[in-house]
Amino acid sequence: APKSVSSIQIKGQNFICDDYTNVTPKMISYLGRNLHLQKNNPLSIVRQRIVNYFYSSFTKRGHPAFSVYDNLSPIVTTKQNFDDLLIPTDHPSRAKSDCYYINRGTLLRAHMTAHQSELLRSGLDNFLMIGDVYRRDEIDSTHFPVFHQVDAVRSQRKEELFIGKPDLEIFEPSYDQENAHAYVNSIDDPMKQSCHTLEAAKLMEGQLKSHLIGLTKVLFGDDIKCRWVDAYFPFTHPSWELEIYYENNWLEVLGCGIVRNEILVNAGPSRNTIAYAFGLGLERLAMALYKIPDIRLMWSTDSGFVTQFENVDLNEDITYKPVSSYPQCTNDMSFWLPSHLTIDTFMSNDFYDLVRDVGGDIIEQVKLKDKFVHPKSKKHSLCYSIVYRHLERTLTQAEVNQVHKEIEKAVVDAYNVVIR
Ligand code: PHE
């Protein structure tokens, strides 16, 4: 008999499942919420402030020189999310343990950069891509499997970049634009890609950095402390991250760099441009700007939260006042792993997803508390603390115990563990 194939429906579209499918109904339920477009949501306020900064920074004959895409479907191909961005096939960011795959070829986008190539291919030079992105990660007050990013590309032709200096070039003489596909573009030099002149790379770096520092100051005020950290992304070179000093910590708020020339070449016939790109996280910025203590609050429909961001002036100084903080309730869960699993091969992100699927939004944090190998039986044991807190009311110990039991049962069924 033919093997039955299972499939899932997402937004009326049918997808065939395979051995990569790990997206859960819970995750699918977040699609279309579009918090970044929701009036009065802090993410939407930060989005508007960023877009306005862009509009005012770059105008062409009085018109904004940027197009904004904030409603692109979060369902993308592995080609869009990885291949088009030169992300190697064995790169860790492709792992099943880090992404929500619909099947081998399709996933919920893990970054907004997934749309960069197709928009370049459609002929755009300067654009913003804003939307929800999906990543499997740990569970605490700053991580949620769905978050929001603003990504941008700014391209310039030689005449725009070197105004009044017609003898300067974007490309080295050894780079033949007519034969761009054949050129091997090296990134061995930490300052620039081999195809670019040092003048072009340095000028772009300066513009990129001052543009982003400018944005940070518009958002946080002139006194904000920032620093640049060298970084690596497969799709930019050189690459940097910007960190801001916030509550005694350096907080990473964005990644950026000079777009790899191969991406521009693949996107269209010799464009003769150089581009910079960046991607920044809206939750990080909104939490720091408005002192929002828990990322789950972004999803709150409780009037105590929503009304604090209602009809505010975009640039108003808002400090979130906790409606009242309901108590936490922490229960531990210890289990023996089956003999085929060890402390190191147990997939913690699978476990976190399961806890969230069963426990829902009352899960505040999951912490690994203890690991242990029995000296005689050599069996491996793990202990996790699960912190429960409802954002809008006090949980009773009895209802927490009930949910905790359901999670234990699901964990036993899924991994064949033995609860201690
Ligand atoms: N996509 C990167 C991320 O999600 C950010 C980034 C965008 C970096 C564009 C460089 C250029 O971390």
Side-chain angles (χ1 to χ4, degrees):
K3 199 167 149 248
S4 76
V5 283
S6 63
S7 66
I8 31 176
Q9 284 267 339
I10 308 178
K11 291 186 175 171
Q13 228 186 316
N14 209 46
F15 294 91
I16 306 286
C17 301
D18 61 24
D19 57 329
Y20 257 59
T21 309
N22 62 4
V23 61
T24 59
K26 175 93 188 152
M27 293 312 299
I28 294 169
S29 77
Y30 294 120
L31 269 70
R33 279 286 297 275
N34 287 335
L35 295 187
H36 62 291
L37 299 178
Q38 212 172 84
K39 198 171 171 284
N40 305 335
N41 190 288
L43 300 176
S44 173
I45 299 174
V46 180
R47 168 188 59 86
Q48 291 174 70
R49 293 181 67 181
I50 295 170
V51 171
N52 288 347
Y53 175 77
F54 270 84
Y55 280 161
S56 64
S57 311
F58 306 103
T59 50
K60 225 184 197 157
R61 290 174 228 100
H63 296 286
F66 261 88
S67 1
V68 178
Y69 291 82
D70 56 16
N71 214 352
L72 299 164
S73 170
I75 301 171
V76 300
T77 59
T78 45
K79 179 173 180 299
Q80 290 172 292
N81 201 85
F82 304 115
D83 304 341
D84 283 350
L85 294 169
L86 316 178
I87 299 176
T89 45
D90 58 355
H91 196 271
S93 67
R94 294 190 186 233
K96 243 176 104 171
S97 61
D98 286 41
C99 300
Y100 289 102
Y101 280 96
I102 296 171
N103 55 40
R104 269 180 181 270
T106 326
L107 71 160
L108 302 181
R109 64 186 168 212
H111 55 178
M112 286 309 292
T113 321
H115 301 286
Q116 187 185 92
S117 279
E118 62 186 278
L119 291 177
L120 283 169
R121 209 172 297 129
S122 77
L124 294 169
D125 303 312
N126 297 297
F127 51 92
L128 296 174
M129 304 154 269
I130 310 175
D132 38 337
V133 300
Y134 297 77
R135 285 190 209 168
R136 304 182 68 196
D137 213 327
E138 51 210 273
I139 298 182
D140 62 31
S141 64
T142 63
H143 289 89
F144 199 74
V146 194
F147 59 101
H148 298 77
Q149 287 184 323
V150 174
D151 242 63
V153 172
R154 167 155 171 81
S155 327
Q156 290 181 97
R157 283 176 293 107
K158 154 186 154 83
E159 306 77 52
E160 298 168 284
L161 184 63
F162 299 119
I163 297 170
K165 296 190 174 142
D167 45 324
L168 291 182
E169 297 289 341
I170 289 179
F171 295 105
E172 289 284 353
S174 59
Y175 172 75
D176 175 9
Q177 283 181 64
E178 302 308 311
N179 227 332
H181 279 285
Y183 181 82
V184 181
N185 189 24
S186 143
I187 54 168
D188 292 342
D189 181 344
M191 308 244 254
K192 67 178 200 71
Q193 301 171 37
S194 64
C195 66
H196 292 141
T197 61
L198 189 59
E199 294 80 18
K202 281 289 167 195
L203 192 50
M204 285 296 280
E205 174 180 345
Q207 291 186 3
L208 167 62
K209 288 182 171 174
S210 69
H211 191 217
L212 288 169
I213 294 289
L215 172 64
T216 313
K217 297 206 158 152
V218 161
L219 293 177
F220 288 92
D222 282 340
D223 294 337
I224 186 76
K225 266 209 285 183
C226 310
R227 71 175 183 196
W228 290 104
V229 179
D230 287 336
Y232 171 79
F233 300 104
F235 34 95
T236 49
H237 183 80
S239 308
W240 305 274
E241 280 166 358
L242 180 63
E243 298 184 339
I244 59 169
Y245 197 67
Y246 172 72
E247 289 188 344
N248 303 317
N249 277 312
W250 286 104
L251 187 70
E252 180 208 319
V253 291
L254 66 86
C256 64
I258 309 298
V259 176
R260 289 271 295 263
N261 192 56
E262 296 91 313
I263 296 176
L264 300 178
V265 168
N266 291 340
S270 58
R271 302 163 59 98
N272 199 8
T273 59
I274 184 167
Y276 66 65
F278 64 80
L280 53 84
L282 284 178
E283 272 80 354
R284 287 269 173 96
L285 291 174
M287 288 176 78
L289 268 172
Y290 307 131
K291 308 227 172 349
I292 299 171
D294 191 306
I295 194 168
R296 292 174 298 164
L297 283 161
M298 303 297 174
W299 299 83
S300 172
T301 51
D302 184 70
S303 64
F305 179 77
V306 180
T307 54
Q308 296 194 34
F309 298 94
E310 219 160 64
N311 306 318
V312 293
D313 179 343
L314 276 189
N315 300 317
E316 205 172 301
D317 246 328
I318 311 167
T319 301
Y320 172 70
K321 295 166 215 60
V323 189
S324 86
S325 219
Y326 297 94
Q328 290 180 326
C329 193
T330 304
N331 282 18
D332 289 351
M333 186 175 293
S334 309
F335 45 80
W336 294 108
L337 294 176
S339 49
H340 70 279
L341 285 177
T342 68
I343 285 166
D344 302 309
T345 59
F346 181 70
M347 296 294 247
S348 53
N349 279 355
D350 290 349
F351 174 71
Y352 298 150
D353 269 334
L354 190 64
V355 173
R356 185 103 71 177
D357 279 350
V358 179
D361 292 344
I362 64 170
I363 305 296
E364 179 166 288
Q365 193 176 1
V366 181
K367 302 184 271 203
L368 180 60
K369 189 175 174 187
D370 191 29
K371 14 187 195 180
F372 169 72
V373 182
H374 192 280
K376 288 231 176 70
S377 72
K378 299 282 181 261
K379 277 192 165 185
H380 290 216
S381 157
L382 291 171
C383 178
Y384 286 96
S385 289
I386 305 182
V387 182
Y388 298 85
R389 185 190 340 233
H390 200 294
L391 291 173
E392 283 131 26
R393 63 183 177 81
T394 300
L395 294 169
T396 65
Q397 186 64 55
E399 75 183 305
V400 169
N401 291 348
Q402 177 65 34
V403 174
H404 198 73
K405 263 218 184 75
E406 283 166 27
I407 296 173
E408 276 184 349
K409 189 178 172 315
V411 174
V412 168
D413 289 349
Y415 308 116
N416 216 1
V417 302
V418 176
I419 301 289
R420 294 179 65 177

